[in-house]
Amino acid sequence: MNAFFKKDILVFCRDRKQILIPLILPIIMIVVMGFLLPNWMGNAPSSIKMKVGYVVKDDVENGLRKFQDSLAARGISEEEAVQLVGAAKEIHPANLLKYVFANEQVAEMIELTQLNEEEALLKLKAEEIHAIVTLPEGFTRGVLDKMLLGEGEGAAISLVAEDPTQEVSVLQGMIEGFMRQLNADAAIANAGAEAVKQGQMAWKPVVSEVGGVEQIEGINTVTTSQYFTLSITLIFTLFGAAAIAGKAVTEKREQVFQRILLSGSRPLSYLTGKISATFILAVVQLLLVFTVSHFALNVFSDFSLRFWIGFILLTVMLCVFIAAMSGLFTALMLRMNADIANGIINIFIIALGMVGGNFVPVYILPDSMQQLWGWTPNGLWLSTMVQWIQEQSWTVAVEGIMGLAVFTAVTVALSVWIFPKRGRI
Amino acid sequence: MLETVELSKSFKGKTVVDNVNLYLERGESIGLLGPNGAGKSTTISMISSLLVPTNGDVRLHGKSIVKNPQEIRKVLGVVPQDIALYEELSAYENLVFFGRIYSLPKSMLEHKIQEVLEIVGLRDRQKELIKTYSGGMKRRINIAAALLHDPQIVIMDEPTVGIDPQSRNHILETVKLLNREKGTTVLYTSHYMEEVEQLCNRMYIMDHGKVIASGTKEELGRILSSEDTILLQLDGYNEVVIAGIRSIDSVRHVEETVQGLKLIVTKQSRVLSAIVQCTERHGVQINNMHVQTPSLEDVFLHLTGRTLRD
């Protein structure tokens, strides 16, 4: 097997065209796509439509009243208390969020329906709504305490969704934007309080974050560059696998394969050599593209070590699968007429790329195609990577790796089955 | 040593090799002749165990190799018609690869590579990529790759097609060296009768999937012992003239060649005058007429109705 592996690596590396296309072209395409397309997760395209359940557990009036009462308990003078209560009424955090959703452009995308919690969960399960935004109990009081007095933990808006879809990411972005605005307001309010304090107040408010988004499916947004770096590189590794398998056609046509058979080598050693060489070349290809993307194009900046460990594991698993695909392509090339096999393989890769979201983000495809996403190996890897970027959940990563392992096992079994037996060359 | 017994192969109902019986004794050099499509390559593929016969058997030392191909693969070296080498690798890298898949031990591999390179005369060019070689050099490395494991039998499928005279001579000398000095058994197919005449002890002539004649050069020559070959050079001729000559009783075959018309005729005294009368009748002048003993090429023409390069 070692001889086959070395031979395949040498043959591939000596072919400059073969080596430059899968290594350089993806990088060029990633740069071009990054410039041409909007940040599809960050900037909501107008085509997005989503239904959101709005659950308010917070009692606003009660929150204001408790805030007012707490001022007296803190021994704040009446004059200061009047100022703070006035500011609190003006801020009215719950209303601020409503204003965000009432905005004409936002309303075009997001249909907000106020529901109770139970009702909202039922509708989410029935897929009648895409997400639930919840203002938790004590939200107003928590925000006001943190904003105006610098006390407590603040408050968090809860966002729950079944799937980390593009729509949910857009909604998440909006809520995060809202929270950032609230934080900025808090800073301004505290700066005012500082001025008050310098004259009359005995306590110093702390400028800090009011809160965040508490429970979100899809914590980080996936940028266009990230998505296309993954999807384009994946499709090029598949074409790379086909290119390595394509060498088998030359071997068959020029009777090198026959010479190999006559040597008494086990035909499966030949297949294993192709698979191993493809694995190494896929690793090199992905390593190079991701390294350039990270360091030169800043595609994967600000991620933790944990993220990179998962990223590498998933990428290695992808390389294993790509290597298995090269085995399947090789078997097809040897078994069938080379031109027909080539056509079938290219159509197959393009179809996989379409359904698997390699050419366009799967979210803009029809629902029926979206459902097939996770059932294609490339779609499975891509969706796992998207979720890994968003959530970094080991459960998701392991599920993805297991899924790809199954695809790999099936592909290898198919390759061995299709690989021509003696007398069939 | 090696024999085929009623060997047949059909593809999609079409028989391309039909009941072929041939044998090779140890140390013999056997020629397999036939025009394109005669079934030579299919026969070779079955002998070398790459194709499973539809009927019949291939036996090595009396044992069938159809069910146990490993037996023949150990002792067989095949030089395919195509250049079965990796163009992107050097001659040396190719030989390392083929040596390793033949499981040659590392200690022996380097020695064997240099030995076969010496045989084919390309030791000083071994580090160059195959794609930079001339056609003849490629064919020589193609032979070298088949010799790495010291095969007892070497099958050469038209090893001199499309190469320069120097490389051709080198290859012919290599075959002689292998057969006469190293005692390797050779099965040689070619379109060039003179190569087979020069190299082989015996030959088989195939056409339409069948062996139509076999024997030594002398034995085959006797097929046409009652015939002569006449080379006729005319100052011009057409189909009517050819038809006229063909209609003469003693004329067995007429073939247009670059030298003129080649006639195979039954030995008898009146044939020359009949030819002269025929040409006069058609108003054609004879520039030259040469009578000779039939060659193997003529035997082939007589048996198949075609020349070897048809």
Side-chain angles (χ1 to χ4, degrees):
Chain A
M1 194 275 273
N2 205 16
F4 290 103
F5 169 72
K6 275 190 178 174
K7 176 265 297 176
D8 280 320
I9 292 279
L10 266 178
V11 167
F12 194 80
C13 291
R14 295 264 167 87
D15 191 339
R16 283 183 199 161
K17 190 179 73 186
Q18 290 275 30
I19 204 148
L20 282 180
I21 289 173
L23 292 182
I24 305 297
L25 214 56
I27 295 171
I28 294 170
M29 286 188 72
I30 289 161
V31 173
V32 171
M33 290 290 204
F35 279 116
L36 285 182
L37 296 171
N39 191 340
W40 59 274
M41 284 297 197
N43 303 337
S46 58
S47 61
I48 287 177
K49 297 273 181 206
M50 75 180 298
K51 291 180 178 177
V52 176
Y54 184 50
V55 177
V56 182
K57 290 184 180 172
D58 182 41
D59 184 340
V60 178
E61 293 308 320
N62 190 32
L64 280 170
R65 199 166 44 249
K66 282 189 174 169
F67 175 72
Q68 196 171 352
D69 294 346
S70 72
L71 295 177
R74 283 185 174 91
I76 293 171
S77 69
E78 202 172 317
E79 195 181 344
E80 290 169 46
V82 169
Q83 278 185 338
L84 288 169
V85 169
K89 282 182 178 167
E90 208 169 300
I91 293 167
H92 208 306
N95 275 353
L96 282 177
L97 184 62
K98 264 193 169 176
Y99 294 148
V100 170
F101 288 114
N103 174 289
E104 198 180 330
Q105 282 183 349
V106 175
E108 259 184 39
M109 293 189 290
I110 296 171
E111 187 185 323
L112 199 71
T113 314
Q114 189 149 352
L115 303 164
N116 66 44
E117 190 178 20
E118 198 179 333
E119 207 177 357
L121 284 169
L122 282 172
K123 280 184 181 286
L124 185 67
K125 275 226 165 340
E127 296 183 1
E128 288 175 29
I129 56 174
H130 294 88
I132 304 169
V133 175
T134 306
L135 286 189
E137 230 170 284
F139 177 78
T140 302
R141 171 81 194 275
V143 169
L144 292 175
D145 278 354
K146 191 74 178 175
M147 267 182 90
L148 299 175
L149 304 174
E151 290 179 357
E153 294 302 315
I157 295 172
S158 156
L159 172 62
V160 179
E162 284 284 303
D163 299 308
T165 59
Q166 181 188 15
E167 286 86 350
V168 172
S169 292
V170 170
L171 179 64
Q172 174 205 334
M174 289 169 56
I175 294 173
E176 281 177 343
F178 166 73
M179 295 310 286
R180 276 196 297 275
Q181 183 61 45
L182 219 52
N183 288 332
D185 288 347
I188 294 164
N190 277 304
E194 181 72 8
V196 171
K197 178 242 166 193
Q198 280 169 2
Q200 300 157 14
M201 287 174 72
W203 56 277
K204 186 181 174 183
V206 179
V207 178
S208 63
E209 299 253 320
V210 170
V213 180
E214 181 189 58
Q215 185 189 340
I216 290 176
E217 303 284 333
I219 285 170
N220 292 315
T221 54
V222 174
T223 64
T224 313
S225 303
Q226 285 166 351
Y227 187 88
F228 278 112
T229 299
L230 299 173
S231 64
I232 289 170
T233 315
L234 167 54
I235 206 75
F236 270 95
T237 52
L238 272 173
F239 279 118
I244 290 176
K247 296 282 178 193
V249 176
T250 319
E251 290 176 320
K252 181 182 166 188
R253 188 182 56 232
E254 291 171 3
Q255 301 192 350
V256 184
F257 186 68
Q258 283 84 334
R259 180 167 261 171
I260 290 167
L261 289 181
L262 286 173
S263 72
S265 300
R266 292 178 60 222
L268 288 182
S269 301
Y270 170 85
L271 194 63
T272 315
K274 287 259 184 272
I275 290 174
S276 313
T278 309
F279 173 75
I280 295 297
L281 291 169
V283 167
V284 171
Q285 188 182 0
L286 290 170
L287 196 69
L288 185 86
V289 175
F290 290 151
T291 305
V292 172
S293 304
H294 177 58
F295 290 106
L297 306 173
N298 213 22
V299 173
F300 298 106
S301 55
D302 303 328
F303 281 109
S304 63
L305 179 65
R306 171 195 165 92
F307 166 80
W308 285 110
I309 291 170
F311 189 94
I312 289 167
L313 283 175
L314 282 162
T315 302
V316 168
M317 190 61 226
L318 173 71
C319 293
V320 173
F321 170 73
I322 295 289
M325 286 302 285
S326 129
L328 180 62
F329 295 159
T330 302
L332 280 172
M333 295 273 194
L334 290 173
R335 187 65 180 263
M336 300 170 72
N337 172 293
D339 291 333
I340 295 172
N342 235 327
I344 289 174
I345 288 167
N346 282 315
I347 290 169
F348 176 68
I349 293 175
I350 289 167
L352 264 188
M354 279 302 295
V355 180
N358 289 96
F359 300 121
V360 288
V362 75
Y363 303 121
I364 71 168
L365 296 175
D367 284 350
S368 54
M369 284 183 85
Q370 284 189 35
Q371 282 168 7
L372 289 173
W373 198 33
W375 292 98
T376 59
N378 51 325
L380 174 65
W381 182 77
L382 212 47
S383 67
T384 307
M385 283 303 245
V386 165
Q387 287 182 74
W388 181 250
I389 291 171
Q390 291 174 329
E391 296 174 52
Q392 289 161 43
S393 150
W394 283 113
T395 312
V396 169
V398 169
E399 276 175 12
I401 288 170
M402 296 298 284
L404 277 172
V406 171
F407 274 117
T408 304
V410 171
T411 309
V412 169
L414 260 178
S415 313
V416 174
W417 183 60
I418 292 173
F419 196 77
K421 310 294 177 286
R422 188 169 76 93
R424 299 294 298 272
I425 304 295
Chain B
M1 184 182 193
L2 181 70
E3 63 179 331
T4 69
V5 182
E6 295 178 355
L7 197 63
S8 300
K9 183 70 187 178
S10 301
F11 293 108
K12 295 177 183 169
K14 191 185 172 198
T15 303
V16 291
V17 174
D18 192 3
N19 284 314
V20 166
N21 293 291
L22 56 84
Y23 69 93
L24 285 87
E25 295 293 356
R26 184 184 292 274
E28 266 193 318
S29 179
I30 301 296
L32 190 56
L33 291 164
N36 284 332
K40 302 186 301 289
S41 293
T42 308
T43 304
I44 285 175
S45 291
M46 286 189 284
I47 291 174
S48 54
S49 77
L50 283 173
L51 271 181
V52 180
T54 310
N55 280 310
D57 202 1
V58 179
R59 292 176 191 159
L60 178 71
H61 302 302
K63 286 183 190 167
S64 171
I65 56 106
V66 173
K67 285 182 186 161
N68 191 10
Q70 292 305 328
E71 288 304 310
I72 196 159
R73 288 178 183 183
K74 281 184 218 159
V75 299
L76 187 69
V78 176
V79 181
Q81 204 174 69
D82 292 301
I83 308 293
L85 300 167
Y86 292 98
E87 294 261 321
E88 299 86 353
L89 305 186
S90 68
Y92 179 80
E93 287 164 342
N94 266 286
L95 294 174
V96 167
F97 170 68
F98 288 114
R100 289 183 69 186
I101 63 172
Y102 271 106
S103 306
L104 290 184
K106 260 188 180 175
S107 55
M108 196 198 279
L109 182 61
E110 183 61 30
H111 169 72
K112 284 307 300 179
I113 288 172
Q114 297 311 323
E115 186 185 316
V116 294
L117 283 167
E118 190 69 49
I119 291 174
V120 298
L122 286 171
R123 201 169 170 176
D124 54 337
R125 308 284 298 270
Q126 59 183 290
K127 297 291 179 189
E128 293 171 30
L129 298 185
I130 294 293
K131 63 183 172 192
T132 64
Y133 276 20
S134 69
M137 287 160 70
K138 286 178 186 175
R139 289 217 168 263
R140 281 147 73 180
I141 296 295
N142 207 27
I143 293 173
L147 303 178
L148 275 168
H149 60 296
D150 276 332
Q152 294 172 24
I153 306 166
V154 174
I155 296 180
M156 295 183 162
D157 194 359
E158 300 188 22
T160 58
V161 168
I163 59 170
D164 57 284
Q166 191 192 347
S167 288
R168 189 180 177 206
N169 284 338
H170 206 292
I171 288 173
L172 297 181
E173 287 307 314
T174 303
V175 180
K176 278 184 203 165
L177 174 87
L178 287 171
N179 179 237
R180 291 170 197 172
E181 292 183 27
K182 293 186 178 282
T184 311
T185 307
V186 176
L187 178 59
Y188 192 94
T189 81
S190 177
H191 276 157
Y192 301 104
M193 183 64 81
E194 65 275 18
E195 284 183 4
V196 176
E197 284 189 59
Q198 188 184 336
L199 296 173
C200 301
N201 313 111
R202 288 190 296 118
M203 56 200 82
Y204 290 86
I205 297 177
M206 284 188 78
D207 194 27
H208 300 299
K210 291 181 176 172
V211 172
I212 54 172
S214 65
T216 60
K217 183 183 166 185
E218 293 72 26
E219 284 166 347
L220 288 173
R222 270 181 233 132
I223 293 174
L224 290 183
S225 60
S226 58
E227 272 126 6
D228 279 327
T229 300
I230 297 173
L231 192 63
L232 195 61
Q233 290 176 344
L234 305 173
D235 66 348
Y237 62 84
N238 53 28
E239 286 301 318
V240 180
V241 179
I242 294 173
I245 295 172
R246 207 170 262 149
S247 67
I248 299 168
D249 277 351
S250 311
V251 175
R252 304 286 301 273
H253 195 89
V254 181
E255 176 81 14
E256 290 179 75
T257 70
V258 284
Q259 289 97 14
L261 294 178
K262 189 186 238 186
L263 282 57
I264 295 172
V265 300
T266 312
K267 277 182 180 162
Q268 56 151 293
S269 55
R270 299 179 65 183
V271 67
L272 294 180
S273 62
I275 291 168
V276 172
Q277 282 169 13
C278 176
T279 53
E280 280 177 354
R281 207 167 43 248
H282 289 93
V284 179
Q285 193 183 324
I286 296 174
N287 294 333
N288 195 6
M289 188 170 2
H290 180 66
V291 181
Q292 58 191 31
T293 308
S295 66
L296 282 182
E297 191 87 46
D298 300 327
V299 173
F300 188 86
L301 185 67
H302 168 76
L303 291 170
T304 66
R306 294 187 276 174
T307 64
L308 261 175
R309 282 173 284 281
D310 270 351

